[in-house]
Amino acid sequence: MSYSFGKNFKITIFGQSHSKEIGVVVDGIKAGYKINHDLISKNLYRRRPGKNKYSTSRKEQDIYKIISGEVDGITCGAPLCAIIENKDQKSLDYEELKDKPRPSHADYPAFVKYNGFNDIRGGGQFSGRMTAPITIAGSIAEDILAKKDIEIVSRIKSIGNIRDVDIDYININSQIIENLKNDEFPTIDSDAKKSMKNEILKAKEKEDSIGGVVEIAILNMPAGYGEPLFNSVESVISHAIFSIPGVKAIEFGSGFSSTKMFGSEHNDPYYYDDDLVKAKTNNHGGIIGGITSSMPIVFRVAVKPTSSIAKVQDTISLKNKTNEKLSIKGRHDPSIVPRALIALKMITAIAILDLTIEGDK
């Protein structure tokens, strides 16, 4: 089903943007795992809307409740189910959109697929709101991976044409890792951070939106996980990443820039560090032949500008079959990149945990 992902650590999400509740069922957590509520709350806070002027004004506290699968905070082997109440919906803002689909939203294709019965409010099940329950499951996956010494870091690589500096993930120090994990707008360069925030505010002032690039690195991933061809590590990660609304592209390692290199520049020479096999460079992004190489897995994700903007746009009337104008009401992010970053990290954790469980069988 399209609402489920994973084989060994399997998640199924349910609900819509304006339904009474949204939630997730997680299957595959061993009995005896102590749930890290602090990490779940921290990640939900970083993802949630309404915290600052760079996000939508919709204010959801995202207080979650685990309703099954645990006893006194310890998993019991049954599927774990968690829910979050939706409390700050303004569904009337979306009434006009039943007839006038928003450009670059799922409104029109969903209207066709579901014969007009699609939930238009807040985007229904197509909304970024659905990444909140993914964040609950992803936090559990992140915590389990940390116990295996596998760490995932994410940062904003660019907003519009403003770029952060490059990072050498092979030699990254622990302080940078901690800073990225705790920063609500994670970048390396403080000047780039300031410029990126200004770009978002400029777009907001123009009743527009702006996109960007999120970079994710998976550190301390051992060699040998994954499969060639259809179940390659890139395939599994990409499948997961494209489940997050707003994603338009992904590249691993040197990505598209590798097309401008010679083989002698792109190849990553091996060497021994005591008994460990390492590579001097990491253009391959930690994956060769679909299998992990023990180098950091590094990939970048293109996140589009928020589709809902206040500018008047062209659309159609589905009822009258006429060309119309549309001014979108409601509360929307001038850039979804800072909040999408958390969702992308969480779905990555889910995918990597699923891969490691499969590889350890």
Side-chain angles (χ1 to χ4, degrees):
M1 290 179 61
S2 63
Y3 299 98
S4 299
F5 176 80
K7 178 181 176 182
N8 308 283
F9 184 84
K10 181 179 179 180
I11 70 165
T12 301
I13 62 170
F14 57 88
Q16 307 98 255
S17 180
H18 286 204
S19 59
K20 184 178 178 182
E21 295 167 338
I22 54 177
V24 63
V25 176
V26 185
D27 201 359
I29 309 175
K30 290 183 178 180
Y33 166 70
K34 184 177 181 180
I35 299 168
N36 189 338
H37 289 285
D38 289 341
L39 184 60
I40 296 173
S41 297
K42 174 185 174 181
N43 285 329
L44 281 172
Y45 177 80
R46 292 184 73 197
R47 192 222 67 91
R48 76 176 174 85
K51 300 197 307 290
N52 54 52
K53 56 189 175 182
Y54 309 107
S55 76
T56 171
S57 59
R58 179 177 177 178
K59 295 187 183 298
E60 293 285 0
Q61 296 303 311
D62 284 352
I63 305 225
Y64 69 97
K65 182 192 302 182
I66 295 178
I67 60 174
S68 65
E70 58 86 28
V71 178
D72 297 328
I74 309 291
T75 57
C76 63
L80 185 145
C81 180
I83 59 171
I84 298 172
E85 287 187 44
N86 284 326
K87 295 189 174 184
D88 190 24
Q89 311 99 307
K90 293 187 178 180
S91 298
L92 290 177
D93 287 344
Y94 297 87
E95 196 66 27
E96 184 182 20
L97 305 180
K98 291 178 180 178
D99 181 53
K100 295 181 179 180
R102 294 166 291 181
S104 292
H105 267 277
D107 299 347
Y108 174 65
F111 173 85
V112 175
K113 180 175 178 63
Y114 300 119
N115 299 310
F117 293 104
N118 53 301
D119 185 357
I120 205 73
R121 304 166 304 164
Q125 66 265 47
F126 299 93
S127 171
R129 180 82 187 123
M130 300 309 299
T131 64
I134 288 174
T135 300
I136 296 174
S139 298
I140 293 170
E142 181 185 13
D143 189 50
I144 294 172
L145 287 171
K147 296 181 191 316
K148 300 173 181 276
D149 199 34
I150 297 171
E151 207 152 19
I152 302 174
V153 294
S154 56
R155 57 123 171 197
I156 300 173
K157 176 68 174 175
S158 66
I159 294 288
N161 291 319
I162 309 298
R163 292 173 56 86
D164 195 12
V165 297
D166 292 334
I167 299 179
D168 176 8
Y169 287 103
I170 297 175
N171 299 302
I172 189 170
N173 67 58
S174 58
Q175 188 57 58
I176 291 177
I177 293 172
E178 284 305 305
N179 291 344
L180 292 177
K181 288 171 65 175
N182 294 304
D183 193 343
E184 285 190 31
F185 200 103
T187 63
I188 300 298
D189 184 71
S190 58
D191 290 334
K193 184 200 303 283
K194 183 177 179 180
S195 296
M196 288 179 191
K197 288 182 175 181
N198 286 336
E199 284 295 293
I200 294 174
L201 294 180
K202 285 178 187 176
K204 186 176 183 180
E205 288 169 5
K206 296 176 182 177
E207 298 185 323
D208 216 327
S209 62
I210 193 167
V213 174
V214 171
E215 185 172 74
I216 296 175
I218 303 157
L219 308 176
N220 306 321
M221 185 74 182
Y225 286 97
E227 300 288 342
L229 301 177
F230 304 115
N231 287 319
S232 69
V233 175
E234 298 102 322
S235 301
V236 174
I237 290 175
S238 297
H239 180 186
I241 290 296
F242 276 99
S243 67
I244 302 301
V247 169
K248 299 306 293 181
I250 187 169
E251 66 171 9
F252 290 84
S254 57
F256 286 102
S257 65
S258 65
T259 63
K260 303 173 185 177
M261 298 178 179
F262 291 105
S264 56
E265 297 172 297
H266 185 266
N267 290 347
D268 302 309
Y270 291 117
Y271 72 99
Y272 271 108
D273 182 1
D274 293 328
D275 290 333
L276 296 176
V277 174
K278 294 185 178 180
K280 293 180 180 179
T281 53
N282 193 27
N283 288 309
H284 66 281
I287 307 164
I288 303 175
I291 301 170
T292 58
S293 70
S294 84
M295 300 300 287
I297 298 175
V298 182
F299 60 92
R300 286 163 293 281
V301 180
V303 180
K304 72 177 184 178
T306 315
S307 299
S308 290
I309 57 175
K311 281 181 179 288
V312 176
Q313 302 175 83
D314 292 325
T315 189
I316 55 173
S317 166
L318 294 168
K319 179 180 178 182
N320 300 322
K321 300 189 184 323
T322 54
N323 297 323
E324 302 288 344
K325 298 289 184 182
L326 176 66
S327 178
I328 298 174
K329 302 178 180 65
R331 300 159 294 172
H332 308 285
D333 295 82
S335 178
I336 58 174
V337 176
R339 295 203 296 129
L341 174 141
I342 302 302
L344 291 167
K345 178 181 176 181
M346 294 295 96
I347 199 69
T348 298
I350 291 166
I352 293 300
L353 179 58
D354 195 49
L355 279 166
T356 60
I357 296 172
E358 180 70 17
D360 289 340
K361 284 182 177 179

